[in-house]
Each structure stands twice: as structure tokens, then as C-alpha cells.
Amino acid sequence: MKANTLHFAALGFAAALAAAPALADENAELIINGEIEIVTRTAAPAHLDGAFDEILSGWRFRSDETQSMEMDDFDNPGMIWVDAAREVWATPDGSEGKACADCHGAPEDMAGVRPVYPKWNETAGEVFTLQMMMNDCRVNRMGAEPWGTDKGQSIPMEALLASVSRGMPMDVAIDGPAAETWEMGRELYYTRFGQLELSCASCHEDNYGNMIRADHLSQGQTNGFPTYRLKNTKLNGVHSRFKGCVRDTRAETFNPGSPEFVALELYVASRGNGLSVEGPSVRN
Amino acid sequence: MASGVKPRVKAPKSAAAGEVVTLKTLISHPMESGLRKDGDGNVIPRSIINRFVCALNGETVVDVKMEPAISTNPYFEFEARVDASGEFSFTWYDDDGSVYEASSPITVG
């Protein structure tokens, strides 16, 4: 009899886990500066094959206070780095004496770039993240030193390029030459790592909306990156976030900029195809 | 000497007479507390914004004294009653003697 009771208790717990995810504010919509409408909830892309009914931006999982910080550029601390990157954009660097602005014009002319990255680069014969593309420009066109992945100016510059594309839907290509890298990313996404034997999917697919310690698990979408996190008061890159996640499974992590994380970035970005670019977003 | 200091202000451009408006200010500044040490054990000298003043047509709205516990990029949000057209002036005082200024006109009508 006692054993039966215990069994029922365990069942009850499982049922609670499977219940509808608890979201911070179910009906709030994200409009930045009163003009940029952000899609934070939309139909899942076909390749997810029913894993989600709909995909949700991480913004939907945050508290009202955190959500409202992203609604106004003045309140969004991430915009400080965007302003700083505007200066870097216009400042010549390297042996060629060229600035980003000399070839590309205003940062606003780069609207539409962020949503399609990571993207296959024909010349290099591999998938390029936005940061790899920036470094390709720096080395081959400007004659400048490349920036480290998620280091120095690469994150602010990525934030600047994201900010001018806000509101545009994520749209990375997963077919053609990028398909092989995308497959590798999917493989990594569903591979369990570390002493805790957790895959990305264990948390972000099977348990989104549930609590992980004092926080809501999101779907792990990357449309909001680079992300200003309240916990470390700076912009965070997606590879650094991957590293933190893998570390939390108690595994040896891959390094930011490694082929594994490039593939994972492509795959995770493709899971958010349809959500608006939000970067720099504000999260816990 | 703090580098990359940039004041930012968000204030309405117009208001009704007697209306209470909300002002937001932020200045990017490292706010080095003077309590930390570098890799060699030497104290990193204090470098903070120690005072912030906002005035409307010469009349003080807020005058804030800041201490080392204030975090990087200090942000202030406050309200002011606007009776007549004029100009908000914002002034930040740095430990190194630098003074950063910004202003924002407002029209009553």
C-alpha cells in the first residue's frame, strides 16, 4: 500500500512537469521604442518536425521588469555597446586605412545581414558566423588584426549589426552547402554531455517554461543575441552562452569559435527561423 | 582619467503648463571604486562621477552626491514640474575634474 502511494506521488510530479509552461506574461507583446514590432511567438519551422507547436523568444520567459527594459532603447543597457560600436564602425583600422563605413556605408545599410547568419561562405568553403565574416573583412580587406570570438569589439559590432535588423525575421539557410554543418549542429543539440548527461534538448525542448533553480527555462532561441544579461551586466555572445550551458552539464566544453559551436549556432538559429531579430536583448 | 564617457538624456520636447514630466539620464562611466587592486597588488585609483545636477531654467531639479558603491554607467530617472518653456541642463562632475554637460529644451504650450 505504501509503495502504491509513493508511486502515485511520482506520477503526480511527472504530470506537473508536462503541464503547460508557466510564462511570465502570456499576452504581452514586444514593441521597441513604440515602433519596431517584434515577433516573439510564431509557428515552428518545418524542420523541427513537431518538436514545438510554436517557437517563443526568450523575452516571453522573463519577468515584466526585464521585459520592459527591452521596450525602450534608453532603458536597454545593451545599447551602450551599440553606440560604442558605431564609433568603431567609422574608425579606420589596419594597413589599408579603411573603416567598415568606407565599403558598407551606414550601419543601417546592413539591415538584413544579421537574420541570415550563420551562412555558407563560398570563398572559404565553410559556414561563417557573423563574427567570422567580420574578421574576414578585417584581415583580407582592411589588413587589420582579427578580433577574438566573443572578445573585444566583436560583440559590440555584432550588437550593432543586430540592432539595425531588429524586427526582421531570422532566416538562416539550412539546405545546399550548409546542410552538412547543420546536420552536425543537430547531432550536437541532441547529444547528451557531461556528468549530468544533459543535451540541449533536455532543457530547452523537453522542459522549457519549467523552473531551473530560480529561473524559467526558455526554448534557447538565439534571435536575441548578443544579449545583455543582468547577472553579469554586459553583452554576451552566443558561443559564450553555449559554453556556459555545456559547462553547467559538468562537461569539458568546446571553445567559442570552434567548428562544433559554429555548427551549433547554425542549427540553433534555424530553430528560431521566423522569430524577429531582437539583439541586443535584455535577459536575466 | 576615465575614457569613453558619454552622457545620454531622454527628456520630452514639450509639455503642458504645470505638467510633471519624467526625465531619464545615463552616463557611461567605469565608476572605479578605488577599493580594487590590480594584478600587482597596487590599488586602482578611484575614478567616479561624484555629483550629478539637473536644473530647469537655472532652478535645481535634483542634486545628487554619489559614492563609490554606485555601479558602472549610473542611471537616474526622476520627475520635474514644468511651468514655463526653457531648457533642462544636466551636469556630471568627475573625480578627475572633468565636467560633462548635456541640455534639452522643452516647450510649454
Side-chain angles (χ1 to χ4, degrees):
Chain A
M1 194 60 208
K2 175 116 193 202
N4 263 343
T5 322
L6 278 175
H7 187 61
F8 273 114
L11 267 181
F13 181 59
L17 270 180
L23 302 183
D25 187 342
E26 201 72 36
N27 298 314
E29 292 300 334
L30 175 54
I31 299 170
I32 295 173
N33 299 334
E35 55 183 24
I36 310 171
E37 288 183 25
I38 302 288
V39 175
T40 54
R41 168 199 293 267
T42 189
H47 70 79
L48 279 178
D49 222 11
F52 293 140
D53 294 333
E54 57 181 3
I55 48 175
L56 304 165
S57 163
W59 181 81
R60 291 209 158 261
F61 297 86
R62 303 280 69 94
S63 65
D64 293 353
E65 295 82 0
T66 312
Q67 285 187 333
S68 67
M69 286 180 84
E70 203 183 314
M71 291 175 158
D72 187 319
D73 280 353
F74 200 88
D75 296 334
N76 181 343
M79 295 309 285
I80 292 173
W81 283 268
V82 170
D83 280 352
R86 278 183 190 276
E87 285 172 26
V88 177
W89 180 266
T91 309
D93 196 3
S95 58
E96 303 300 308
K98 284 200 271 190
C100 310
D102 291 330
C103 293
H104 295 294
E108 280 70 20
D109 295 342
M110 300 297 275
V113 173
R114 169 68 175 79
V116 297
Y117 273 86
K119 181 182 166 187
W120 177 258
N121 185 293
E122 197 56 57
T123 321
E126 60 175 329
V127 168
F128 265 20
T129 63
L130 194 50
Q131 290 191 21
M132 289 161 78
M133 191 62 234
M134 291 189 299
N135 276 336
D136 190 73
C137 259
R138 285 182 64 77
V139 174
N140 297 325
R141 291 208 229 170
M142 296 167 72
E145 289 290 312
W147 291 321
T149 306
D150 286 4
K151 288 200 181 100
Q153 293 300 329
S154 51
I155 292 277
M157 191 56 77
E158 195 178 359
L160 172 61
L161 294 180
S163 72
V164 297
S165 291
R166 284 182 298 180
M168 302 172 97
M170 285 298 297
D171 186 22
V172 296
I174 62 172
D175 49 5
E180 195 184 329
T181 310
W182 183 80
E183 274 299 337
M184 177 180 163
R186 186 169 71 163
E187 192 69 30
L188 282 162
Y189 191 90
Y190 287 102
T191 303
R192 288 172 180 267
F193 286 102
Q195 291 178 325
L196 297 182
E197 292 189 58
L198 292 169
S199 71
C200 306
S202 308
C203 288
H204 296 293
E205 186 170 298
D206 301 340
N207 279 297
Y208 71 89
N210 291 325
M211 302 298 280
I212 182 162
R213 299 182 69 174
D215 199 3
H216 281 110
L217 276 168
S218 74
Q219 285 185 347
Q221 301 288 1
T222 53
N223 60 308
F225 277 86
T227 287
Y228 179 86
R229 296 192 69 190
L230 299 168
K231 77 169 238 181
N232 60 10
T233 64
K234 65 183 180 80
L235 283 178
N236 295 263
V238 69
H239 285 205
S240 309
R241 179 66 271 210
F242 288 160
K243 186 179 173 184
C245 261
V246 179
R247 179 204 60 209
D248 290 348
T249 70
R250 299 188 188 165
E252 286 286 336
T253 78
F254 303 104
N255 287 321
S258 63
E260 289 85 359
F261 276 172
V262 171
L264 190 59
E265 182 178 344
L266 173 63
Y267 177 68
V268 177
S270 79
R271 291 173 71 94
N273 272 354
L275 292 173
S276 296
V277 172
E278 260 179 57
S281 62
V282 184
R283 304 285 189 258
N284 293 18
Chain B
M1 182 68 202
S3 62
V5 180
K6 186 178 168 193
R8 294 169 174 79
V9 169
K10 187 174 186 183
K13 294 279 171 254
S14 63
E19 186 183 342
V20 175
V21 299
T22 301
L23 303 155
K24 296 174 178 179
T25 73
L26 185 152
I27 185 162
S28 44
H29 192 283
M31 298 293 274
E32 186 59 54
S33 70
L35 300 172
R36 300 197 306 159
K37 289 175 181 173
D38 65 15
D40 299 326
N42 303 314
V43 172
I44 305 170
R46 177 180 129 160
S47 169
I48 68 167
I49 303 272
N50 56 45
R51 185 177 173 217
F52 166 66
V53 180
C54 171
L56 173 58
N57 297 333
E59 191 185 346
T60 303
V61 177
V62 284
D63 188 338
V64 186
K65 180 169 184 263
M66 282 180 267
E67 301 288 350
I70 308 249
S71 62
T72 308
N73 307 333
Y75 169 92
F76 288 104
E77 181 175 334
F78 50 93
E79 294 176 336
R81 198 183 75 221
V82 186
D83 291 322
S85 298
E87 190 172 69
F88 283 108
S89 69
F90 307 88
T91 317
W92 293 261
Y93 297 88
D94 197 312
D95 271 351
D96 64 17
S98 307
V99 176
Y100 313 104
E101 287 177 322
S103 62
S104 176
I106 188 160
T107 316
V108 169

